[in-house]
Each structure stands twice: as structure tokens, then as C-alpha cells.
Amino acid sequence: MIIENSEVILSVRDLTAEVDSIQILKGLNLEMKAGEIHTIMGPNGSGKSTFSKVLAGHPAYTVTGGEVIFQGQNLLDLKPEERARAGVFLAFQYPLEIPGVSNLDFLRVAYNSRRQHQGLEEVDAFDFDELIHEKLAIVKMNAAFLSRSLNEGFSGGEKKRNEILQMALLEPKLAILDETDSGLDIDALRIVANGINQLANAENTMLVITHYQRLLNYIVPDFVHVMEDGRIVTSGTKELALELESRGYDWLREETAEVGAR
């Protein structure tokens, strides 16, 4: 859904970053506007997950250059929790289990923290209970999951659906989905993808990171970007993802090397 003259939500320029003194991102550029869905694909080790963690503010990753502007402000100046409250959401490839913290309490605290940042009053337990039950329908989750510890004993599909439930509550401006399709069977994939599609709108933008084209059978991106060696080397439409599925990445590496040699 490309919207004419839409707001630029995220602008990344010449971003470089390292982890454990190893340079991973090597000059990454990307612009995302409201109403757009972007997909990043690429081989293992190309920097896809590093990019998602840098955007979210993971402390293990050090930005060594470039800029990241989120809705007009320097995202790199914000702490991870400030980024989340400002509207940046990361759905993890491997969601964490937090024993002893009920899923319901976690969701309510996160929701009210976001509201407080927006200058809105907190929602009490009764109103939140009504709200969360409405959102459960988006990901077809049983209400029994709310009383369980966060992600503890959840299957892979249940954890991913719970991530999308969080996204439905928080309504982020920038949603980063790091290999959300990883470990999902076909039914869970369809439910998760349908939830993502319901939450995509003209006011937000989504970054979908995936290895496989199969997710794009359900979520149709406006742009597909390919990462290689810490940077985006080419971009296209869904047809690029189909070509990668059939031909792999070697042909793209050869073309990129030829361009660089000219």
C-alpha cells in the first residue's frame, strides 16, 4: 500500500554497527513511509537480525556510524524503553519466557506505559480486560493464555501469536518482525500473517525480516530488499522474492560483484 506524499517514518543513512568488535552493518540505507510494508531477505550472516536489534536498541550492539531518524527524532539517542514507548515494536525471532510474570499483567503494563507516553490516562483492569479480549480474536488465541506466565510453556506458534497480540495492543508506528515465520506450521503461519495484515494501515509501517518467500504468499510487501555483507545490495517488488526462492543468492552476488567492478 504505497501512499502518495506519505510521512517518512524511518530514515536510515549509512548505518554501521558492530557486536563484540566485529563489524556487521557496513553502510545500510533504508527509507520507510507510512502505509508501506518492507521485507528484508538475505543469506545467514548478512546482518538482518543485527539491523532489527540495532533499531530496537539492544545493548550488545554498538552503532559506529550513520544515522537513524524515526519520525523526525534521532532514534539512536533514545533508550530501548523510550523507543518502545515512542512507537517502535520488535517481534523477536525467539520470544523470551518470563516465569512468574503473567501474560495479562505484562500486556497491561506495556499498554499503559505506551498510553502514559502519549499523554493519556491509564486504563484500569476492568477496561483492559475488555480490550484484550477484543484483541485476542485477531490472533485466535484462547483467553486461558492470559493467566499463564509470559511465553512459559507456549509452543513456537503460540509465542509468535502472542507477539502479534502485543503489537495489536501497542499499535506501533514502526513494527519490526524478525523472522516471525520461523518455526511455524502452515496453520499458525496463516493466523500470524492474517493478524499482521489486519494491523497494517496507512498510519504505520512494517519491516518484515524473513528467509523464505512463503510468508510473502500471505503478506504482500511493497518493497523487497536483499541484504548482503551488512548492506542492502538491491531492492524490488515481490517478484524479487520469487526469483530468490527459485535461484538462491549466488546469481545476485555475481551481479553485485560485476557492478562493483565497473
Side-chain angles (χ1 to χ4, degrees):
M1 173 174 48
I2 301 175
I3 302 172
E4 293 283 341
N5 303 316
S6 56
E7 171 196 8
V8 175
I9 290 181
L10 183 73
S11 178
V12 181
R13 293 287 178 265
D14 299 320
L15 181 65
T16 59
E18 64 181 25
V19 59
D20 297 330
S21 299
I22 299 172
Q23 200 77 16
I24 306 296
L25 301 184
K26 303 176 182 179
L28 190 148
N29 294 282
L30 180 65
E31 183 175 278
M32 299 174 62
K33 296 181 179 180
E36 296 177 346
I37 298 177
H38 293 246
T39 295
I40 290 184
M41 303 181 73
N44 289 329
S46 60
K48 302 185 302 298
S49 289
T50 293
F51 182 41
S52 71
K53 291 179 173 63
V54 166
L55 291 178
H58 194 296
Y61 297 81
T62 302
V63 173
T64 55
E67 66 175 18
V68 180
I69 305 300
F70 171 68
Q71 290 194 288
Q73 61 181 330
N74 186 351
L75 191 69
L76 303 178
D77 285 343
L78 303 180
K79 297 177 181 178
E81 62 272 20
E82 293 172 332
R83 300 182 194 196
R85 286 194 290 263
V88 176
F89 177 85
L90 172 62
F92 293 96
Q93 181 179 358
Y94 303 108
L96 296 174
E97 296 184 7
I98 307 181
V101 176
S102 82
N103 198 25
L104 181 63
D105 288 343
F106 173 83
L107 293 169
R108 185 171 61 244
V109 169
Y111 180 72
N112 277 327
S113 179
R114 176 92 163 105
R115 284 183 64 85
Q116 187 177 36
H117 178 80
Q118 295 171 320
L120 302 173
E121 290 186 4
E122 293 189 4
V123 172
D124 64 32
F126 295 103
D127 288 339
F128 183 78
D129 189 65
E130 182 177 341
L131 174 65
I132 192 64
H133 279 78
E134 290 177 7
K135 301 298 185 182
L136 284 170
I138 293 175
V139 288
K140 299 183 180 180
M141 280 185 69
N142 191 305
F145 283 96
L146 296 175
S147 60
R148 294 169 58 177
S149 291
L150 180 63
N151 289 326
E152 187 176 29
F154 287 25
S155 69
E158 289 162 353
K159 288 180 180 179
K160 299 299 178 71
R161 285 156 68 183
N162 202 41
E163 294 272 270
I164 305 306
L165 175 62
Q166 293 174 36
M167 187 168 75
L169 274 173
L170 298 175
E171 298 181 338
K173 293 291 286 187
L174 169 63
I176 307 156
L177 309 169
D178 187 11
E179 298 195 34
T180 298
D181 53 330
S182 176
L184 298 184
D185 62 30
I186 193 64
D187 291 325
L189 177 64
R190 188 179 295 111
I191 291 170
V192 166
N194 183 59
I196 293 169
N197 285 329
Q198 289 185 62
L199 299 175
N201 59 56
E203 303 299 321
N204 62 25
T205 186
M206 295 191 179
L207 181 62
V208 180
I209 297 170
T210 183
H211 274 296
Y212 306 108
Q213 188 275 332
R214 68 169 190 160
L215 179 62
L216 307 187
N217 289 331
Y218 303 97
I219 301 171
V220 179
D222 298 296
F223 302 96
V224 173
H225 311 283
V226 180
M227 282 191 69
E228 173 75 21
D229 193 29
R231 57 177 63 88
I232 291 175
V233 295
T234 193
S235 300
T237 61
K238 183 184 176 182
E239 283 65 34
L240 175 57
L242 293 169
E243 191 168 10
L244 291 170
E245 185 81 2
S246 63
R247 299 177 64 185
Y249 291 101
D250 286 343
W251 67 274
L252 190 57
R253 293 190 183 103
E254 292 171 3
E255 285 192 2
T256 302
E258 287 176 5
V259 171
R262 291 173 189 168

